[in-house]
Amino acid sequence: MSKENSNPILKAVRELKLNATLASVVYLVLGIVLLVAPTTSKNLLCTLVGVVVLIYGTFNLLSFLMDRDFGGLSVELIIGIAAAAFGVFSLLNPGFLMDFLIIVLGLAIAVGSAGSLKRALNLRAFGYSYWWISLVVAMATLIVALTFVFCPEVYGALLMQIIGIILIVEAIGDLLTIHRLSRIARDGGYTVR
């Protein structure tokens, strides 16, 4: 077994690099779709989430009805009723679901931006002279993501496209940071593939 393959730190770094790259590619694709077809994406997303939650609730209700051995109210019944009701409500009121999803997506982008802030600071620690560009992009993305959470009405109809742009910028920034960190590690005598 080679020294490189047995080093747990290099193995962890390779796995982290792969996971971060895959997440960035998913962000990039999702961002392009939201930018190119915002209304279709919004409608499809609302319908898809409503249907999935309704199906989940229905399965829980059916599971409860088919297995009455335990008697009384069970967790499956409560979850089934709540999920089915939320699914029906969401399908009938897509505006509510969209506001809810915007908040969730804003939180997800904020978490990703916090990770980008950490990676930018890592670039600084490694002596990369343009680390501040990654930091500025991550901070701007974080601020916009937080406005999604606390003030989604500020962006109006452009919200889906703005989310798409943010996801694209975040993905490209992360991919460039991953590439730079890999190059720094390789130049420092480490091999991260």
Side-chain angles (χ1 to χ4, degrees), residues 17-177:
K17 178 183 171 186
L18 176 65
N19 291 340
T21 302
L22 289 175
S24 296
V25 169
V26 169
Y27 269 24
L28 184 63
V29 170
L30 181 60
I32 290 169
V33 169
L34 291 175
L35 183 63
V36 173
T39 304
T40 304
S41 298
K42 181 176 102 172
N43 294 337
L44 181 64
L45 184 63
C46 288
T47 302
L48 184 64
V49 169
V51 167
V52 167
V53 172
L54 177 60
I55 289 171
Y56 175 74
T58 303
F59 277 128
N60 273 290
L61 287 172
L62 291 174
S63 176
F64 171 78
L65 293 173
M66 296 173 99
D67 189 16
R68 291 185 178 212
D69 294 339
F70 298 107
L73 286 178
S74 78
V75 176
E76 284 181 328
L77 177 63
I78 295 169
I79 291 174
I81 291 171
F86 184 80
V88 169
F89 184 77
S90 298
L91 289 171
L92 296 175
N93 300 301
F96 160 78
L97 182 61
M98 195 62 226
D99 289 344
F100 178 75
L101 292 176
I102 294 295
I103 290 170
V104 170
L105 190 55
L107 288 171
I109 293 172
V111 169
S113 298
S116 295
L117 283 171
K118 185 175 183 331
R119 286 188 290 276
L121 294 175
N122 285 342
L123 285 174
R124 178 179 174 224
F126 287 128
Y128 181 58
S129 57
Y130 296 107
W131 66 272
W132 59 271
I133 295 173
S134 295
L135 181 70
V136 168
V137 170
M139 288 177 62
T141 305
L142 179 62
I143 290 168
V144 174
L146 291 175
T147 60
F148 287 168
V149 174
F150 297 109
C151 308
E153 67 281 351
V154 168
Y155 298 99
L158 297 175
L159 190 56
M160 295 303 281
Q161 289 180 313
I162 292 170
I163 291 171
I165 291 169
I166 288 172
L167 289 173
I168 291 168
V169 169
E170 182 77 19
I172 292 171
D174 285 351
L175 288 170
L176 290 173
T177 300

Side-chain angles (χ1 to χ4, degrees), residues 3-25:
K3 180 181 177 185
E4 180 181 313
N5 289 335
S6 65
N7 187 333
I9 293 174
L10 288 178
K11 184 177 179 182
V13 169
R14 277 193 294 274
E15 289 176 11
L16 180 64
K17 178 183 171 186
L18 176 65
N19 291 340
T21 302
L22 289 175
S24 296
V25 169

